[in-house]
Amino acid sequence: MINFNEAPYTGKEFEFIKKAIDNKKICGDGEFTQKCNQWIEENTGITKALITTSCTHATEMAAILSDVKEGDEIIMPSYTFVSTADAFVLRGAKVVFVDINPKTMNIDENLIENAITDKTKAIVPVHYAGVSCEMDRIMEIAKNNNLMVIEDAAQGIMSSYKGKALGTMGDYGCFSFHETKNYSMGEGGALLIRDDENVERAEIIREKGTNRSKFFRGQIDKYTWVDAGSSYLPSELNAAYLYAQLEVAEQINEYRLKLWNRYNTNLKDLEQIERPYIPKYCVHNAHMFYIKARDLEERTRLITYLKENDIQAVFHYVPLHSAPAGKRYGRFSGEDVYTTRESERLVRLPMFYSLQLEQVDYITDKIIEFYMKGN
Ligand SMILES: *Cc1c(COP(=O)(O)O)cnc(C)c1O
């Protein structure tokens, strides 16, 4: 069976975890946490990065830092993971869903202004498949309407828009290091903080509302409870696992791009399907390779056919506005022209660091075979 995903492993993970144990420091903010934070800062150019227990938690931190409160409205696509909405709903906000651009599956920036009301607090662009949203336009709309921008860059590490790393353009950016992402620590994420004046409060919220980070830097004599916060620090053991991959991030990225390009080339003459579209100004990270079948019925048969041939392919998000919680906490702005229709066509193919090029060839052969059989 070719699995849909396997956790990334590069070889140094055990050594680094042992080092963390030898350091006799396995709680948060030890050597490896610092190394990961620093790696993100150096490689994205962000003012401050803090690794967290998940991307969901990084988004929650961004919601707290943005003072999102009961009755606020948050604009986002419906075609996204539940976490994008959860983080704001937990603070009492309403979600306002906007349709996607079918070419990229990202929020359609031209529909955002219509969704803005006097309650709107923030725009949350989701960079699907590590391909950037139209950030210049989104930042302009946010500026004109005095809105926060929180980038769900869960899939976007190592990707860029006009030379800027994803997650660094909005007020806050959120990365995921879940097992299914390009670099992993099992469960984990990072919050990227653009503006210097928000760094101190972010550190406090992450450390249960205390100024413990300052204390450890020797800036104060004792630490105390100064704000409402929670525990968003990952363990050093997880950070050690992650650092083993960040150290060779370029190598992982190159290999993933090789796999992605192989899929893309092998399938380029298959007219029955659509392949991902990468806008000119975007550099992507090969987070995902997806294809689109004609419709839901064809997609179901294709996934079954691949499964019969020992290939695990999966569909992706069920649009949030059609889910029970989505109906309770959100509304769709305007018409759902593409969100449901395009989500029903999309199939994600296996994509992970230990996948072999020959396996990609096998998978694309089977897809071509499916269509040659008259499907
Ligand atoms: C994976 C993912 C998340 C959640 O990440 P966790 O680290 O599992 O919390 C959020 N948004 C998107 C778009 C994702 O792909």
Side-chain angles (χ1 to χ4, degrees):
M1 185 71 163
I2 303 177
N3 293 318
F4 172 68
N5 182 63
E6 288 174 13
Y9 176 76
T10 64
K12 276 209 181 162
E13 285 82 351
F14 282 116
E15 182 190 324
F16 287 175
I17 290 171
K18 183 174 182 304
K19 179 108 194 297
I21 297 169
D22 290 343
N23 285 347
K24 301 193 193 310
K25 178 152 177 80
I26 60 168
C27 70
D29 275 346
E31 177 191 347
F32 288 103
T33 304
Q34 303 299 347
K35 282 192 152 105
C36 291
N37 290 345
Q38 208 179 346
W39 187 95
I40 297 169
E41 286 158 14
E42 282 166 7
N43 285 274
T44 65
I46 193 69
T47 304
K48 181 73 193 164
L50 295 169
I51 60 166
T52 58
T53 33
S54 65
C55 177
T56 308
H57 279 168
T59 315
E60 272 181 47
M61 285 182 69
I64 297 170
L65 285 159
S66 307
D67 296 316
V68 171
K69 56 179 191 323
E70 183 115 26
D72 285 348
E73 291 182 353
I74 313 293
I75 294 173
M76 64 180 68
S78 170
Y79 186 71
T80 183
F81 190 53
V82 293
S83 303
T84 320
D86 269 327
F88 300 96
V89 164
L90 277 175
R91 313 228 65 75
K94 285 270 176 206
V95 182
V96 177
F97 299 114
V98 168
D99 209 6
I100 51 171
N101 177 338
K103 282 169 95 176
T104 56
M105 303 301 281
N106 283 334
I107 192 166
D108 184 340
E109 67 280 359
N110 298 315
L111 301 175
I112 292 175
E113 276 169 322
N114 265 333
I116 295 173
T117 71
D118 54 8
K119 290 183 178 154
T120 308
K121 180 83 181 187
I123 306 170
V124 186
V126 180
H127 305 298
Y128 188 69
V131 178
S132 183
C133 298
E134 187 35 82
M135 287 308 289
D136 278 354
R137 182 76 187 113
I138 291 172
M139 294 310 294
E140 180 186 51
I141 295 167
K143 189 164 173 241
N144 292 343
N145 293 277
N146 199 22
L147 304 176
M148 307 283 296
V149 174
I150 297 155
E151 296 178 67
D152 182 337
Q155 306 173 7
I157 185 169
M158 299 288 277
S159 293
S160 62
Y161 169 82
K162 299 186 180 173
K164 293 178 204 145
L166 302 195
T168 63
M169 291 165 277
D171 295 85
Y172 299 101
C174 308
F175 283 168
S176 175
F177 299 118
H178 183 262
E179 181 180 293
T180 51
K181 303 303 200 287
N182 294 21
Y183 312 95
S184 182
M185 55 200 280
E187 301 277 353
L191 178 68
L192 281 66
I193 304 150
R194 188 192 61 196
D195 300 330
D196 227 356
E197 66 262 29
N198 297 323
V199 172
E200 185 174 343
R201 189 160 169 237
E203 287 182 336
I204 288 168
I205 288 165
R206 180 167 168 269
E207 272 277 24
K208 300 108 184 156
T210 72
N211 49 7
R212 196 159 172 260
S213 298
K214 263 188 156 172
F215 171 72
F216 276 117
R217 285 195 295 264
Q219 293 165 318
I220 46 174
D221 293 337
K222 61 177 176 19
Y223 72 87
T224 183
W225 185 32
V226 292
D227 200 352
S230 191
S231 184
Y232 296 120
L233 265 77
S235 148
E236 269 289 286
L237 301 175
N238 298 63
Y241 192 98
L242 177 63
Y243 192 63
Q245 285 152 60
L246 293 183
E247 251 198 352
V248 291
E250 196 55 56
Q251 180 186 317
I252 295 177
N253 195 50
E254 271 173 31
Y255 185 67
R256 291 186 71 109
L257 282 164
K258 211 180 244 180
L259 294 169
W260 196 99
N261 288 327
R262 186 78 150 232
Y263 271 124
N264 202 38
T265 308
N266 288 359
L267 293 172
K268 76 175 192 317
D269 296 325
L270 187 62
E271 281 165 10
Q272 288 93 331
I273 59 155
E274 261 176 57
R275 289 169 291 116
Y277 167 76
I278 313 290
K280 272 199 193 66
Y281 47 80
C282 293
V283 173
H284 75 107
N285 61 358
H287 172 62
M288 190 190 302
F289 194 90
Y290 65 79
I291 57 173
K292 286 187 195 165
R294 187 176 51 228
D295 53 22
L296 179 60
E297 185 270 333
E298 185 180 283
R299 179 181 76 174
T300 307
R301 281 189 293 111
L302 175 60
I303 290 175
T304 306
Y305 187 78
L306 294 176
K307 196 172 166 200
E308 285 164 3
N309 286 283
D310 287 327
I311 299 159
Q312 193 184 16
V314 298
F315 56 83
H316 213 182
Y317 310 128
V318 175
L320 296 184
H321 74 284
S322 65
K327 287 178 184 154
R328 196 173 326 141
Y329 298 119
R331 68 176 167 85
F332 203 94
S333 165
E335 207 187 326
D336 167 13
V337 179
Y338 295 113
T339 298
T340 300
R341 195 182 89 190
E342 298 301 305
S343 71
E344 288 179 345
R345 300 174 56 204
L346 190 140
V347 188
R348 301 172 71 190
L349 302 176
M351 172 61 86
F352 49 87
Y353 189 48
S354 49
L355 185 67
Q356 299 302 307
L357 286 165
E358 297 69 38
Q359 292 177 302
V360 171
D361 293 342
Y362 172 76
I363 295 164
T364 54
D365 280 351
K366 290 296 163 190
I367 293 169
I368 292 165
E369 191 179 279
F370 171 82
Y371 283 102
M372 290 309 119
K373 283 183 172 171
N375 281 289

PDB file of all heavy atoms in Angstrom, residues 53-57 59 80-84 126-128 152 154-155 175-178 180-181 187-189 287 316-317, ligand 1:
ATOM      1  N   THR A  53       2.356  24.591  20.550  1.00  0.00           N
ATOM      2  CA  THR A  53       1.882  23.204  20.614  1.00  0.00           C
ATOM      3  C   THR A  53       1.104  22.778  19.369  1.00  0.00           C
ATOM      4  O   THR A  53       0.903  21.587  19.157  1.00  0.00           O
ATOM      5  CB  THR A  53       1.021  23.024  21.874  1.00  0.00           C
ATOM      6  OG1 THR A  53       0.339  24.263  22.135  1.00  0.00           O
ATOM      7  CG2 THR A  53       1.880  22.699  23.088  1.00  0.00           C
ATOM      8  N   SER A  54       0.646  23.719  18.576  1.00  0.00           N
ATOM      9  CA  SER A  54      -0.010  23.403  17.299  1.00  0.00           C
ATOM     10  C   SER A  54      -0.219  24.701  16.526  1.00  0.00           C
ATOM     11  O   SER A  54      -0.073  25.797  17.077  1.00  0.00           O
ATOM     12  CB  SER A  54      -1.367  22.714  17.504  1.00  0.00           C
ATOM     13  OG  SER A  54      -2.276  23.591  18.130  1.00  0.00           O
ATOM     14  N   CYS A  55      -0.620  24.549  15.275  1.00  0.00           N
ATOM     15  CA  CYS A  55      -1.008  25.732  14.489  1.00  0.00           C
ATOM     16  C   CYS A  55      -2.343  26.251  15.010  1.00  0.00           C
ATOM     17  O   CYS A  55      -2.576  27.461  15.044  1.00  0.00           O
ATOM     18  CB  CYS A  55      -1.104  25.352  13.013  1.00  0.00           C
ATOM     19  SG  CYS A  55      -1.657  26.685  11.959  1.00  0.00           S
ATOM     20  N   THR A  56      -3.190  25.340  15.431  1.00  0.00           N
ATOM     21  CA  THR A  56      -4.471  25.743  16.028  1.00  0.00           C
ATOM     22  C   THR A  56      -4.202  26.689  17.195  1.00  0.00           C
ATOM     23  O   THR A  56      -4.833  27.737  17.328  1.00  0.00           O
ATOM     24  CB  THR A  56      -5.237  24.496  16.522  1.00  0.00           C
ATOM     25  OG1 THR A  56      -5.313  23.547  15.461  1.00  0.00           O
ATOM     26  CG2 THR A  56      -6.639  24.842  17.005  1.00  0.00           C
ATOM     27  N   HIS A  57      -3.254  26.311  18.048  1.00  0.00           N
ATOM     28  CA  HIS A  57      -2.912  27.143  19.206  1.00  0.00           C
ATOM     29  C   HIS A  57      -2.248  28.456  18.799  1.00  0.00           C
ATOM     30  O   HIS A  57      -2.474  29.487  19.428  1.00  0.00           O
ATOM     31  CB  HIS A  57      -2.010  26.356  20.175  1.00  0.00           C
ATOM     32  CG  HIS A  57      -2.797  25.443  21.058  1.00  0.00           C
ATOM     33  ND1 HIS A  57      -2.210  24.473  21.837  1.00  0.00           N
ATOM     34  CD2 HIS A  57      -4.132  25.377  21.293  1.00  0.00           C
ATOM     35  CE1 HIS A  57      -3.171  23.840  22.514  1.00  0.00           C
ATOM     36  NE2 HIS A  57      -4.330  24.357  22.194  1.00  0.00           N
ATOM     37  N   THR A  59      -2.946  30.063  16.170  1.00  0.00           N
ATOM     38  CA  THR A  59      -4.059  30.894  15.694  1.00  0.00           C
ATOM     39  C   THR A  59      -4.870  31.424  16.878  1.00  0.00           C
ATOM     40  O   THR A  59      -5.307  32.577  16.875  1.00  0.00           O
ATOM     41  CB  THR A  59      -4.947  30.093  14.707  1.00  0.00           C
ATOM     42  OG1 THR A  59      -4.110  29.401  13.796  1.00  0.00           O
ATOM     43  CG2 THR A  59      -5.879  31.003  13.938  1.00  0.00           C
ATOM     44  N   THR A  80     -11.448  25.373   4.195  1.00  0.00           N
ATOM     45  CA  THR A  80     -10.265  25.357   5.055  1.00  0.00           C
ATOM     46  C   THR A  80     -10.469  24.340   6.165  1.00  0.00           C
ATOM     47  O   THR A  80     -11.534  23.725   6.278  1.00  0.00           O
ATOM     48  CB  THR A  80      -9.964  26.748   5.656  1.00  0.00           C
ATOM     49  OG1 THR A  80      -8.747  26.685   6.423  1.00  0.00           O
ATOM     50  CG2 THR A  80     -11.082  27.231   6.571  1.00  0.00           C
ATOM     51  N   PHE A  81      -9.415  24.173   6.965  1.00  0.00           N
ATOM     52  CA  PHE A  81      -9.486  23.254   8.095  1.00  0.00           C
ATOM     53  C   PHE A  81     -10.243  23.936   9.236  1.00  0.00           C
ATOM     54  O   PHE A  81     -10.251  25.167   9.343  1.00  0.00           O
ATOM     55  CB  PHE A  81      -8.054  22.900   8.535  1.00  0.00           C
ATOM     56  CG  PHE A  81      -7.998  21.776   9.528  1.00  0.00           C
ATOM     57  CD1 PHE A  81      -8.614  20.563   9.275  1.00  0.00           C
ATOM     58  CD2 PHE A  81      -7.314  21.934  10.726  1.00  0.00           C
ATOM     59  CE1 PHE A  81      -8.556  19.531  10.195  1.00  0.00           C
ATOM     60  CE2 PHE A  81      -7.249  20.903  11.652  1.00  0.00           C
ATOM     61  CZ  PHE A  81      -7.865  19.698  11.384  1.00  0.00           C
ATOM     62  N   VAL A  82     -10.855  23.138  10.089  1.00  0.00           N
ATOM     63  CA  VAL A  82     -11.688  23.663  11.176  1.00  0.00           C
ATOM     64  C   VAL A  82     -10.952  24.631  12.104  1.00  0.00           C
ATOM     65  O   VAL A  82     -11.549  25.572  12.634  1.00  0.00           O
ATOM     66  CB  VAL A  82     -12.289  22.523  12.028  1.00  0.00           C
ATOM     67  CG1 VAL A  82     -13.300  21.719  11.214  1.00  0.00           C
ATOM     68  CG2 VAL A  82     -11.204  21.603  12.571  1.00  0.00           C
ATOM     69  N   SER A  83      -9.644  24.411  12.287  1.00  0.00           N
ATOM     70  CA  SER A  83      -8.865  25.244  13.221  1.00  0.00           C
ATOM     71  C   SER A  83      -8.924  26.722  12.875  1.00  0.00           C
ATOM     72  O   SER A  83      -8.917  27.574  13.760  1.00  0.00           O
ATOM     73  CB  SER A  83      -7.399  24.839  13.199  1.00  0.00           C
ATOM     74  OG  SER A  83      -7.277  23.496  13.504  1.00  0.00           O
ATOM     75  N   THR A  84      -8.939  27.028  11.582  1.00  0.00           N
ATOM     76  CA  THR A  84      -8.961  28.420  11.136  1.00  0.00           C
ATOM     77  C   THR A  84     -10.139  29.137  11.786  1.00  0.00           C
ATOM     78  O   THR A  84     -10.016  30.285  12.233  1.00  0.00           O
ATOM     79  CB  THR A  84      -9.090  28.485   9.595  1.00  0.00           C
ATOM     80  OG1 THR A  84      -8.283  27.477   9.014  1.00  0.00           O
ATOM     81  CG2 THR A  84      -8.672  29.843   9.063  1.00  0.00           C
ATOM     82  N   VAL A 126      -6.011  31.852   3.972  1.00  0.00           N
ATOM     83  CA  VAL A 126      -5.430  30.510   4.137  1.00  0.00           C
ATOM     84  C   VAL A 126      -4.659  30.203   2.860  1.00  0.00           C
ATOM     85  O   VAL A 126      -5.237  30.222   1.773  1.00  0.00           O
ATOM     86  CB  VAL A 126      -6.543  29.451   4.341  1.00  0.00           C
ATOM     87  CG1 VAL A 126      -5.944  28.058   4.503  1.00  0.00           C
ATOM     88  CG2 VAL A 126      -7.424  29.810   5.538  1.00  0.00           C
ATOM     89  N   HIS A 127      -3.378  29.940   2.988  1.00  0.00           N
ATOM     90  CA  HIS A 127      -2.550  29.682   1.799  1.00  0.00           C
ATOM     91  C   HIS A 127      -2.631  28.192   1.475  1.00  0.00           C
ATOM     92  O   HIS A 127      -1.810  27.392   1.951  1.00  0.00           O
ATOM     93  CB  HIS A 127      -1.106  30.112   2.042  1.00  0.00           C
ATOM     94  CG  HIS A 127      -0.956  31.546   2.475  1.00  0.00           C
ATOM     95  ND1 HIS A 127      -1.343  32.594   1.679  1.00  0.00           N
ATOM     96  CD2 HIS A 127      -0.470  32.096   3.618  1.00  0.00           C
ATOM     97  CE1 HIS A 127      -1.087  33.745   2.307  1.00  0.00           C
ATOM     98  NE2 HIS A 127      -0.563  33.456   3.487  1.00  0.00           N
ATOM     99  N   TYR A 128      -3.629  27.841   0.669  1.00  0.00           N
ATOM    100  CA  TYR A 128      -3.886  26.424   0.414  1.00  0.00           C
ATOM    101  C   TYR A 128      -2.756  25.786  -0.395  1.00  0.00           C
ATOM    102  O   TYR A 128      -2.273  26.363  -1.373  1.00  0.00           O
ATOM    103  CB  TYR A 128      -5.223  26.253  -0.324  1.00  0.00           C
ATOM    104  CG  TYR A 128      -5.638  24.816  -0.455  1.00  0.00           C
ATOM    105  CD1 TYR A 128      -6.022  24.084   0.673  1.00  0.00           C
ATOM    106  CD2 TYR A 128      -5.626  24.162  -1.681  1.00  0.00           C
ATOM    107  CE1 TYR A 128      -6.388  22.752   0.575  1.00  0.00           C
ATOM    108  CE2 TYR A 128      -6.001  22.827  -1.794  1.00  0.00           C
ATOM    109  CZ  TYR A 128      -6.382  22.124  -0.655  1.00  0.00           C
ATOM    110  OH  TYR A 128      -6.738  20.810  -0.759  1.00  0.00           O
ATOM    111  N   ASP A 152      -3.218  32.122   7.899  1.00  0.00           N
ATOM    112  CA  ASP A 152      -3.137  30.692   8.179  1.00  0.00           C
ATOM    113  C   ASP A 152      -2.151  30.125   7.159  1.00  0.00           C
ATOM    114  O   ASP A 152      -2.513  29.779   6.041  1.00  0.00           O
ATOM    115  CB  ASP A 152      -4.506  30.027   8.068  1.00  0.00           C
ATOM    116  CG  ASP A 152      -4.457  28.542   8.408  1.00  0.00           C
ATOM    117  OD1 ASP A 152      -3.358  27.948   8.291  1.00  0.00           O
ATOM    118  OD2 ASP A 152      -5.498  27.974   8.781  1.00  0.00           O
ATOM    119  N   ALA A 154      -0.411  27.431   7.711  1.00  0.00           N
ATOM    120  CA  ALA A 154      -0.164  26.071   8.215  1.00  0.00           C
ATOM    121  C   ALA A 154       0.601  25.233   7.197  1.00  0.00           C
ATOM    122  O   ALA A 154       1.467  24.438   7.551  1.00  0.00           O
ATOM    123  CB  ALA A 154      -1.488  25.389   8.562  1.00  0.00           C
ATOM    124  N   GLN A 155       0.261  25.446   5.917  1.00  0.00           N
ATOM    125  CA  GLN A 155       0.878  24.636   4.856  1.00  0.00           C
ATOM    126  C   GLN A 155       1.971  25.403   4.121  1.00  0.00           C
ATOM    127  O   GLN A 155       2.496  24.928   3.124  1.00  0.00           O
ATOM    128  CB  GLN A 155      -0.211  24.219   3.853  1.00  0.00           C
ATOM    129  CG  GLN A 155      -1.391  23.524   4.507  1.00  0.00           C
ATOM    130  CD  GLN A 155      -2.541  23.252   3.550  1.00  0.00           C
ATOM    131  OE1 GLN A 155      -2.430  23.465   2.352  1.00  0.00           O
ATOM    132  NE2 GLN A 155      -3.655  22.772   4.083  1.00  0.00           N
ATOM    133  N   PHE A 175       2.137  28.741  11.457  1.00  0.00           N
ATOM    134  CA  PHE A 175       2.663  27.550  10.783  1.00  0.00           C
ATOM    135  C   PHE A 175       2.188  26.306  11.511  1.00  0.00           C
ATOM    136  O   PHE A 175       1.944  26.358  12.721  1.00  0.00           O
ATOM    137  CB  PHE A 175       4.205  27.516  10.860  1.00  0.00           C
ATOM    138  CG  PHE A 175       4.930  28.434   9.910  1.00  0.00           C
ATOM    139  CD1 PHE A 175       6.300  28.651  10.101  1.00  0.00           C
ATOM    140  CD2 PHE A 175       4.308  29.046   8.839  1.00  0.00           C
ATOM    141  CE1 PHE A 175       7.016  29.493   9.248  1.00  0.00           C
ATOM    142  CE2 PHE A 175       5.017  29.882   7.977  1.00  0.00           C
ATOM    143  CZ  PHE A 175       6.378  30.098   8.191  1.00  0.00           C
ATOM    144  N   SER A 176       2.111  25.194  10.802  1.00  0.00           N
ATOM    145  CA  SER A 176       1.836  23.907  11.456  1.00  0.00           C
ATOM    146  C   SER A 176       3.012  22.956  11.258  1.00  0.00           C
ATOM    147  O   SER A 176       3.584  22.891  10.163  1.00  0.00           O
ATOM    148  CB  SER A 176       0.576  23.253  10.888  1.00  0.00           C
ATOM    149  OG  SER A 176       0.417  21.965  11.454  1.00  0.00           O
ATOM    150  N   PHE A 177       3.327  22.234  12.324  1.00  0.00           N
ATOM    151  CA  PHE A 177       4.318  21.148  12.240  1.00  0.00           C
ATOM    152  C   PHE A 177       3.674  19.825  12.609  1.00  0.00           C
ATOM    153  O   PHE A 177       4.273  18.953  13.228  1.00  0.00           O
ATOM    154  CB  PHE A 177       5.531  21.459  13.142  1.00  0.00           C
ATOM    155  CG  PHE A 177       6.249  22.719  12.752  1.00  0.00           C
ATOM    156  CD1 PHE A 177       6.335  23.784  13.636  1.00  0.00           C
ATOM    157  CD2 PHE A 177       6.821  22.847  11.500  1.00  0.00           C
ATOM    158  CE1 PHE A 177       6.990  24.959  13.281  1.00  0.00           C
ATOM    159  CE2 PHE A 177       7.475  24.017  11.126  1.00  0.00           C
ATOM    160  CZ  PHE A 177       7.563  25.073  12.019  1.00  0.00           C
ATOM    161  N   HIS A 178       2.411  19.698  12.215  1.00  0.00           N
ATOM    162  CA  HIS A 178       1.693  18.427  12.379  1.00  0.00           C
ATOM    163  C   HIS A 178       2.374  17.369  11.506  1.00  0.00           C
ATOM    164  O   HIS A 178       3.082  17.697  10.553  1.00  0.00           O
ATOM    165  CB  HIS A 178       0.231  18.633  11.946  1.00  0.00           C
ATOM    166  CG  HIS A 178      -0.621  17.427  12.137  1.00  0.00           C
ATOM    167  ND1 HIS A 178      -0.907  16.543  11.119  1.00  0.00           N
ATOM    168  CD2 HIS A 178      -1.230  16.954  13.243  1.00  0.00           C
ATOM    169  CE1 HIS A 178      -1.671  15.569  11.594  1.00  0.00           C
ATOM    170  NE2 HIS A 178      -1.877  15.794  12.878  1.00  0.00           N
ATOM    171  N   THR A 180       1.394  15.678   9.140  1.00  0.00           N
ATOM    172  CA  THR A 180       1.071  15.728   7.714  1.00  0.00           C
ATOM    173  C   THR A 180       1.723  16.903   6.987  1.00  0.00           C
ATOM    174  O   THR A 180       1.569  17.033   5.774  1.00  0.00           O
ATOM    175  CB  THR A 180      -0.452  15.864   7.532  1.00  0.00           C
ATOM    176  OG1 THR A 180      -0.885  16.954   8.356  1.00  0.00           O
ATOM    177  CG2 THR A 180      -1.177  14.591   7.931  1.00  0.00           C
ATOM    178  N   LYS A 181       2.453  17.745   7.694  1.00  0.00           N
ATOM    179  CA  LYS A 181       3.036  18.919   7.059  1.00  0.00           C
ATOM    180  C   LYS A 181       4.484  18.638   6.610  1.00  0.00           C
ATOM    181  O   LYS A 181       5.058  17.613   6.947  1.00  0.00           O
ATOM    182  CB  LYS A 181       2.982  20.114   8.023  1.00  0.00           C
ATOM    183  CG  LYS A 181       1.548  20.431   8.490  1.00  0.00           C
ATOM    184  CD  LYS A 181       0.586  20.717   7.328  1.00  0.00           C
ATOM    185  CE  LYS A 181      -0.652  21.482   7.708  1.00  0.00           C
ATOM    186  NZ  LYS A 181      -1.670  20.744   8.457  1.00  0.00           N
ATOM    187  N   GLU A 187       2.943  16.888  16.801  1.00  0.00           N
ATOM    188  CA  GLU A 187       1.960  17.959  16.902  1.00  0.00           C
ATOM    189  C   GLU A 187       2.744  19.221  17.239  1.00  0.00           C
ATOM    190  O   GLU A 187       3.597  19.196  18.132  1.00  0.00           O
ATOM    191  CB  GLU A 187       0.951  17.693  18.036  1.00  0.00           C
ATOM    192  CG  GLU A 187       0.164  16.397  17.914  1.00  0.00           C
ATOM    193  CD  GLU A 187      -1.054  16.498  17.007  1.00  0.00           C
ATOM    194  OE1 GLU A 187      -1.386  17.609  16.557  1.00  0.00           O
ATOM    195  OE2 GLU A 187      -1.655  15.432  16.740  1.00  0.00           O
ATOM    196  N   GLY A 188       2.461  20.303  16.553  1.00  0.00           N
ATOM    197  CA  GLY A 188       3.169  21.541  16.874  1.00  0.00           C
ATOM    198  C   GLY A 188       2.922  22.603  15.831  1.00  0.00           C
ATOM    199  O   GLY A 188       2.317  22.341  14.787  1.00  0.00           O
ATOM    200  N   GLY A 189       3.383  23.798  16.115  1.00  0.00           N
ATOM    201  CA  GLY A 189       3.203  24.900  15.175  1.00  0.00           C
ATOM    202  C   GLY A 189       4.088  26.062  15.564  1.00  0.00           C
ATOM    203  O   GLY A 189       4.995  25.920  16.402  1.00  0.00           O
ATOM    204  N   HIS A 287       3.785  21.378  -0.904  1.00  0.00           N
ATOM    205  CA  HIS A 287       3.112  20.771   0.253  1.00  0.00           C
ATOM    206  C   HIS A 287       2.165  19.674  -0.197  1.00  0.00           C
ATOM    207  O   HIS A 287       2.043  18.644   0.459  1.00  0.00           O
ATOM    208  CB  HIS A 287       2.340  21.815   1.065  1.00  0.00           C
ATOM    209  CG  HIS A 287       1.501  21.180   2.119  1.00  0.00           C
ATOM    210  ND1 HIS A 287       2.060  20.429   3.137  1.00  0.00           N
ATOM    211  CD2 HIS A 287       0.161  21.112   2.297  1.00  0.00           C
ATOM    212  CE1 HIS A 287       1.095  19.950   3.903  1.00  0.00           C
ATOM    213  NE2 HIS A 287      -0.067  20.339   3.411  1.00  0.00           N
ATOM    214  N   HIS A 316     -10.378  16.374   0.343  1.00  0.00           N
ATOM    215  CA  HIS A 316      -9.959  17.300   1.399  1.00  0.00           C
ATOM    216  C   HIS A 316     -11.173  17.950   2.028  1.00  0.00           C
ATOM    217  O   HIS A 316     -12.201  17.306   2.171  1.00  0.00           O
ATOM    218  CB  HIS A 316      -8.934  18.300   0.856  1.00  0.00           C
ATOM    219  CG  HIS A 316      -7.930  18.707   1.892  1.00  0.00           C
ATOM    220  ND1 HIS A 316      -6.941  19.616   1.668  1.00  0.00           N
ATOM    221  CD2 HIS A 316      -7.785  18.324   3.184  1.00  0.00           C
ATOM    222  CE1 HIS A 316      -6.225  19.765   2.767  1.00  0.00           C
ATOM    223  NE2 HIS A 316      -6.718  19.011   3.700  1.00  0.00           N
ATOM    224  N   TYR A 317     -11.055  19.208   2.421  1.00  0.00           N
ATOM    225  CA  TYR A 317     -12.064  19.820   3.275  1.00  0.00           C
ATOM    226  C   TYR A 317     -13.499  19.701   2.779  1.00  0.00           C
ATOM    227  O   TYR A 317     -13.790  19.974   1.619  1.00  0.00           O
ATOM    228  CB  TYR A 317     -11.769  21.308   3.450  1.00  0.00           C
ATOM    229  CG  TYR A 317     -10.365  21.608   3.851  1.00  0.00           C
ATOM    230  CD1 TYR A 317      -9.610  22.531   3.131  1.00  0.00           C
ATOM    231  CD2 TYR A 317      -9.786  20.975   4.943  1.00  0.00           C
ATOM    232  CE1 TYR A 317      -8.307  22.826   3.501  1.00  0.00           C
ATOM    233  CE2 TYR A 317      -8.485  21.261   5.316  1.00  0.00           C
ATOM    234  CZ  TYR A 317      -7.748  22.182   4.589  1.00  0.00           C
ATOM    235  OH  TYR A 317      -6.467  22.462   4.947  1.00  0.00           O
TER     236      TYR A 317
HETATM  237  C1  LIG B   1      -2.906  21.551   9.373  1.00  0.00           C
HETATM  238  C2  LIG B   1      -3.701  22.787   9.302  1.00  0.00           C
HETATM  239  C3  LIG B   1      -4.121  23.466  10.453  1.00  0.00           C
HETATM  240  C4  LIG B   1      -3.966  22.920  11.832  1.00  0.00           C
HETATM  241  O1  LIG B   1      -2.678  22.639  12.206  1.00  0.00           O
HETATM  242  P1  LIG B   1      -2.398  21.933  13.619  1.00  0.00           P
HETATM  243  O2  LIG B   1      -0.945  22.130  13.805  1.00  0.00           O
HETATM  244  O3  LIG B   1      -2.795  20.497  13.456  1.00  0.00           O
HETATM  245  O4  LIG B   1      -3.210  22.621  14.642  1.00  0.00           O
HETATM  246  C5  LIG B   1      -4.772  24.680  10.298  1.00  0.00           C
HETATM  247  N1  LIG B   1      -5.028  25.197   9.097  1.00  0.00           N
HETATM  248  C6  LIG B   1      -4.673  24.565   7.965  1.00  0.00           C
HETATM  249  C7  LIG B   1      -4.955  25.217   6.646  1.00  0.00           C
HETATM  250  C8  LIG B   1      -4.004  23.339   8.027  1.00  0.00           C
HETATM  251  O5  LIG B   1      -3.657  22.713   6.895  1.00  0.00           O
END
